[in-house]
Amino acid sequence: MLPGATVGLLFGVWLFQQQSQLWSLTAWLGWLAALAALSLLRCGLRLATLPGLSFSFSIQTWLRRLWLMVLIAALAFAYAQARAWWRLQSALPAVCEQQVLQVQGVIVSVPERDARGQHVDMAIEHSVNPACPLPARLRLNLYEQSYRGDTATPAAFMPRLQAGERWQFSVRLKRPHATRNPHGFDYAAWCLANDIGASGSIVSKAPMRKLQSLVWQPAALIAHWRANVGDRIERVLGSTPASAVLRALVIGDDSQIARADWQLFVDTGINHLVSISGLHITMLASLGYLCAGWVWRLRPHWALYVPTKLAASAGGALVAIAYSALAGFSIPTQRTLYMLLTVLAMLSLKQRLPFSWILCVAMWVVLLIDPWAVMAPGFWLSFGAVAVLAFAMGGRLRQPRWWQGALQAQWVMTLAFVPVLVMLFNQLSLVSPLANALAIPMVSIGVVPLAIAGAVLPLDFLLPLAAGLWQGCAHALQWLRQLPWAVSYLATPAMWAWLLAMLGTLWWLMPRGWPLRWAGLLLLLPLCLPVSTRLQPGQMRVTVLDVGQGLSVLVQTAQHTLLYDAGPIYNAQSDAGQRIVLPYLRHLGVKQLDLAVVSHDDNDHVGGMASVLAGVKATRILSSLTPDASFFTQLQQLPQAMHIPHVACHAGQQWQWDQVIFKVIYPAKKLAAEVKDNDKSCVIQVLSAHGSLLLTGDIELYAEQALLDSASERLRSSVMTMPHHGSKTSSSLAFISQVQPEVAIATVGYLNRFGHPKPAVMARYQALGSQTLRSDQDGAIVLNFTQGQRPQVIRWRAVEPHYWEAAD
């Protein structure tokens, strides 16, 4: 019964996390009535079963099990809703956003530092604003650079925040808000799962008072310990790539790992190792289990008081808890710890239990403590990996040798997770089996124990050994990544193809002798089929991505693809191209851009383009940038992108793809020297049989007037992006009256500091009868120019609504 009950629990919790809003009392009463009706039906069927029929007992047993699964699913759904309701009550009230609030709290994370400033998590103890109750935990940023990169406050005058300190700040906060794109990361869901109720910035011009250097609270002491361990690693090894990786492996701080190194780990499929992973915790817990058992066997009389198996389990549990504390008890670490402690507790029992029962109990513990775990890919990968290995390698008549078992396990895991990795990450690392076969033993058995011992104990010489071992592993990974067939990217498969692939995987995992086991692998082939609806000549699909305060638009015709801008760069390790645009292109299966357009040299338009071109080939670049722009310096450092031909953008350029016409209508070939960057934006009009599109970049009144003077009769378009994100220096009445857009889109960040789009500008469009859309409220906007004279508009927040966004 336990496996069936676990299925009910898992389904109930998962189903709740898919809801668009919390259920009302009326909905719950209706559900209770449905349960009562199902109970009556079950009783009626039991009474109607005639005695003496051979199948009556099996029918009753089947109904009882089905009823139990439904009941547990309903209770799990209700429990998950109750937990979500309670957590959402502590969210920052919407009326308090962007207000200056005074807070007092303790820094409970290892501070992350980059070129823009410092970033910490703070546990709030006191707020002097009774009208604005604050969440228990905030994510705060102390900026040393402003949005455009100039110095906001000199770093010398900034305090250096340390873990475990108590501070009093003035802060400006926002509720958790995510950019919403197909197949994109949901930051708001991550904040909910991690119990972060708001994020914002510390007002650097207001007084900042340090009240205590070290607070004697568990969370503060653990954070202080972790920070000291991280500083020790950096002091011994310096600021090197190996030092950054060891910090990630020892204290879970991966903020210093360079972007190029992360890409290496992803391409070779070993990114799961470069963190406090379940594999490392399990390996160290196993070491603790063996050592405690060995000590107990050296003192046989100790077993009279505490059984050896129980002592070994306790030793493994203590090691796992200590390592999890060193990792800061992050949510993924907690899930692994709960799972491991449950397994150790059940293994220490005198009664031998089936492994499926142990796995089910572990899942109950994890989901009851953390019902948001089902939203994390790591949850499915962790439990799935254990279940697959148990199914594929358990119950065999002849056990393989240890090296055969290790190779078989790696082979099984690689093939079994092909459908899952393609669905979640659109990636298939063909060198992953070799990379993991090399990296798993080197990292888990060599690097991690040496690094922890060298960082925690006064044994400095162990850290260079761990760093040298890692560098040898990294060199081997670089060689593997350079192989031409190292990594492949596939479009997100259709659900039927994915289910067929999962069935094929299960068929292949059956024991030797199962008929046609090899044929199961053939069912993986539909994963390679294109899934997006093919466009016909004359049709186009336009996606205005939600990149925050910035712009990125993808235009697709039957056989060609154009990308117009790629959003902003957020910090040295992250930009919209890497986090949003590139994953979306891979989700669609786009392997080449026929044209990459950089409208002008502003961070919020060009910032992510280098990352995109590093991951997807482009035939050429069209831009208004001068040859000395920093963007071209970036491209020279990318082997794939350094030789892409560049064409200067100017009015009069025109081409046709699949019966869709593209026209550059601004700027002129020569502009006055005093014209600012915004008014150099490349303006492109796209004309199809089913409507037209006007991409305006950041043009302002000067460029709008120039367009009215040179091309006023050709400006009319079905859809337009609002110039300069709807600022007051653009969207003049004369200009938009000439365009007459049916749909006008403002691409803006949530509560952006510029106040875009301005209410007067929005009112101007609405007065003309235009439908106004905003990326911060609607998410990504997909426009299908496939039939009629008006595009079909799809707003992604409406397609995939979530209950944690309902209050925004």
Side-chain angles (χ1 to χ4, degrees):
M1 294 296 291
L2 184 59
T6 306
V7 171
L9 172 75
L10 181 61
F11 178 74
V13 173
W14 174 84
L15 184 63
F16 169 73
Q17 303 300 347
Q18 314 309 310
Q19 301 305 301
S20 60
Q21 58 186 3
L22 299 180
W23 280 25
S24 64
L25 180 60
T26 303
W28 275 110
L29 290 175
W31 176 238
L32 290 175
L35 281 178
L38 189 60
S39 301
L40 292 174
L41 177 62
R42 173 173 171 262
C43 293
L45 289 173
R46 183 166 54 186
L47 292 174
T49 303
L50 297 176
L53 292 179
S54 60
F55 57 85
S56 60
F57 178 77
S58 62
I59 291 177
Q60 291 182 18
T61 303
W62 182 82
L63 287 175
R64 185 164 57 249
R65 290 178 178 174
L66 179 61
W67 164 249
L68 179 64
M69 289 178 61
V70 172
L71 180 61
I72 290 178
L75 293 174
F77 189 101
Y79 171 75
Q81 164 146 332
R83 289 285 305 275
W85 178 85
W86 181 260
R87 183 161 290 187
L88 289 173
Q89 296 308 301
S90 63
L92 179 73
V95 295
C96 299
E97 292 183 293
Q98 295 296 77
Q99 292 188 26
V100 177
L101 307 174
Q102 291 186 4
V103 300
Q104 175 184 308
V106 179
I107 297 174
V108 292
S109 69
V110 176
E112 298 178 9
R113 297 181 174 90
D114 58 28
R116 293 199 64 198
Q118 306 173 61
H119 317 280
V120 297
D121 289 352
M122 173 174 274
I124 299 302
E125 298 178 316
H126 178 64
S127 172
V128 299
N129 311 91
C132 291
L134 294 182
R137 190 179 178 105
L138 303 177
R139 173 148 291 191
L140 298 177
N141 308 292
L142 180 58
Y143 289 117
E144 297 167 5
Q145 281 188 358
S146 69
Y147 176 79
R148 296 184 182 276
D150 52 318
T151 300
T153 302
F157 295 98
M158 287 286 193
R160 188 173 177 85
L161 305 180
Q162 300 289 354
E165 295 177 338
R166 176 179 281 127
W167 280 85
Q168 189 176 81
F169 295 127
S170 294
V171 299
R172 284 192 178 92
L173 301 175
K174 298 179 184 179
R175 297 162 64 91
H177 186 92
T179 55
R180 289 294 310 280
N181 299 281
H183 211 67
F185 173 69
D186 193 334
Y187 174 73
W190 181 88
C191 285
L192 179 68
N194 286 269
D195 200 15
I196 295 176
S199 61
S201 59
I202 299 169
V203 181
S204 58
K205 296 181 180 179
M208 292 180 278
R209 294 176 55 204
K210 182 167 70 171
L211 305 178
Q212 192 172 345
S213 296
L214 180 60
V215 179
W216 289 86
Q217 296 175 359
L221 292 173
I222 290 174
H224 183 73
W225 175 45
R226 295 176 61 226
N228 286 340
V229 171
D231 291 343
R232 177 182 172 84
I233 294 172
E234 193 166 347
R235 187 169 59 252
V236 173
L237 299 177
S239 298
T240 62
S243 170
V245 171
L246 293 193
R247 281 177 61 94
L249 292 172
V250 175
I251 65 171
D253 177 19
D254 57 14
S255 61
Q256 296 185 15
I257 297 179
R259 189 191 305 183
D261 291 334
W262 265 124
Q263 194 60 49
L264 170 66
F265 308 151
V266 171
D267 289 346
T268 53
I270 64 110
N271 49 310
H272 64 98
L273 288 175
V274 190
S275 61
I276 307 289
S277 72
L279 180 63
H280 303 330
I281 297 176
T282 303
M283 191 70 69
L284 290 174
S286 301
L287 183 61
Y289 184 95
L290 293 173
C291 290
W294 175 71
V295 170
W296 238 249
R297 281 187 289 274
L298 290 178
R299 299 289 187 272
H301 64 280
W302 289 1
L304 298 174
Y305 305 98
V306 179
T308 302
K309 184 182 288 188
L310 181 60
S313 297
L318 289 175
V319 171
I321 293 171
Y323 189 38
S324 299
L326 194 56
F329 288 114
S330 63
I331 294 298
T333 304
Q334 288 183 38
R335 282 197 295 266
T336 302
L337 181 63
Y338 302 148
M339 182 178 177
L340 184 60
L341 293 180
T342 304
V343 171
L344 288 173
M346 298 192 72
L347 287 176
S348 64
L349 298 177
K350 293 182 180 179
Q351 184 178 1
R352 190 181 181 113
L353 297 172
F355 185 77
S356 60
W357 280 53
I358 297 176
L359 194 63
C360 287
V361 172
M363 186 171 290
W364 273 81
V365 171
V366 170
L367 290 180
L368 289 178
I369 294 176
D370 180 17
W372 294 276
V374 295
M375 297 192 295
F379 169 83
W380 301 97
L381 293 174
S382 297
F383 277 97
V386 175
V388 164
L389 284 176
F391 177 77
M393 306 190 68
R396 299 302 189 254
L397 295 177
R398 181 168 61 88
Q399 294 298 321
R401 296 185 178 92
W402 69 268
W403 61 270
Q404 291 176 325
L407 290 177
Q408 185 179 353
Q410 185 60 46
W411 182 245
V412 164
M413 292 299 297
T414 300
L415 281 179
F417 277 91
V418 165
V420 178
L421 295 176
V422 170
M423 175 63 81
L424 294 177
F425 306 114
N426 301 111
Q427 179 175 316
L428 182 59
S429 178
L430 302 180
V431 298
S432 175
L434 293 174
N436 278 279
L438 169 72
I440 287 176
M442 289 184 69
V443 174
S444 296
I445 301 176
V447 176
V448 172
L450 287 173
I452 292 176
V456 175
L457 303 174
L459 301 172
D460 289 359
F461 69 93
L462 294 179
L463 288 173
L465 287 178
L469 191 59
W470 167 256
Q471 287 171 343
C473 180
H475 286 311
L477 295 176
Q478 285 281 11
W479 181 82
L480 286 173
R481 202 260 294 270
Q482 291 173 0
L483 297 175
W485 43 269
V487 63
S488 178
Y489 295 99
L490 301 175
T492 302
M495 185 54 66
W496 67 267
W498 185 77
L499 292 174
L500 203 61
M502 293 297 290
L503 177 62
T505 301
L506 181 64
W507 192 275
W508 174 77
L509 290 173
M510 289 296 180
R512 185 175 299 174
W514 190 267
L516 297 176
R517 277 180 67 226
W518 59 270
L521 297 180
L522 297 178
L523 297 181
L524 273 65
L525 295 178
L527 292 176
C528 303
L529 296 176
V531 294
S532 58
T533 305
R534 298 288 296 181
L535 296 171
Q536 302 300 317
Q539 298 178 338
M540 67 176 176
R541 181 178 296 113
V542 177
T543 306
V544 182
L545 291 167
D546 179 10
V547 294
Q549 184 67 21
L551 179 65
S552 183
V553 182
L554 186 72
V555 182
Q556 296 171 278
T557 66
Q559 301 291 334
H560 295 83
T561 305
L562 176 148
L563 179 66
Y564 184 93
D565 289 340
I569 185 169
Y570 306 126
N571 53 55
Q573 305 299 334
S574 175
D575 59 59
Q578 170 206 23
R579 288 188 171 269
I580 298 172
V581 182
L582 196 55
Y584 182 64
L585 294 175
R586 288 172 176 165
H587 160 67
L588 295 177
V590 174
K591 298 185 183 299
Q592 176 173 304
L593 296 173
D594 296 282
L595 181 63
V597 180
V598 179
S599 63
H600 65 298
D601 198 7
D602 262 5
N603 166 58
D604 56 336
H605 294 254
V606 71
M609 188 61 80
S611 293
V612 173
L613 298 181
V616 175
K617 295 179 181 179
T619 303
R620 60 192 176 111
I621 298 171
L622 180 69
S623 82
S624 61
L625 276 59
T626 57
D628 60 347
S630 60
F631 169 67
F632 295 113
T633 304
Q634 287 180 283
L635 292 190
Q636 292 305 310
Q637 302 171 5
L638 303 174
Q640 179 172 307
M642 61 188 302
H643 298 301
I644 302 175
H646 171 239
V647 179
C649 173
H650 61 81
Q653 294 167 320
Q654 180 174 324
W655 65 95
Q656 181 173 314
W657 290 339
D658 310 314
Q659 300 179 22
V660 176
I661 300 172
F662 294 76
K663 295 181 178 181
V664 179
I665 59 175
Y666 184 86
K669 279 190 175 182
K670 292 185 179 180
L671 289 175
E674 65 272 12
V675 174
K676 54 185 179 179
D677 275 344
N678 284 350
D679 281 324
K680 295 177 182 177
S681 296
C682 183
V683 179
I684 297 179
Q685 188 178 43
V686 189
L687 306 170
S688 78
H690 306 286
S692 52
L693 169 71
L694 187 63
L695 300 171
T696 58
D698 273 356
I699 61 171
E700 298 183 10
L701 297 178
Y702 173 89
E704 289 181 1
Q705 187 58 51
L707 282 167
L708 289 173
D709 294 339
S710 63
S712 61
E713 69 282 357
R714 302 190 300 274
L715 287 176
R716 186 168 186 131
S717 302
S718 309
V719 179
M720 72 180 295
T721 57
M722 292 186 191
H724 199 194
H725 317 287
S727 75
K728 64 182 180 182
T729 59
S730 58
S731 295
S732 64
L733 181 60
F735 180 71
I736 65 175
S737 297
Q738 199 64 37
V739 178
Q740 284 290 318
E742 298 175 20
V743 179
I745 303 170
T747 56
V748 293
Y750 179 65
L751 293 180
N752 64 87
R753 73 185 188 96
F754 308 102
H756 296 161
K758 297 296 183 181
V761 172
M762 296 291 282
R764 206 174 293 158
Y765 282 100
Q766 292 163 0
L768 291 174
S770 301
Q771 178 186 6
T772 54
L773 302 175
R774 300 172 48 148
S775 59
D776 60 338
Q777 295 178 358
D778 299 303
I781 298 163
V782 181
L783 303 142
N784 289 316
F785 294 79
T786 55
Q787 55 186 352
Q789 299 300 312
R790 182 183 176 90
Q792 176 196 14
V793 180
I794 300 173
R795 298 174 297 123
W796 201 249
R797 286 189 188 272
V799 172
E800 286 190 353
H802 298 312
Y803 68 85
W804 54 85
E805 297 174 330
D808 284 351

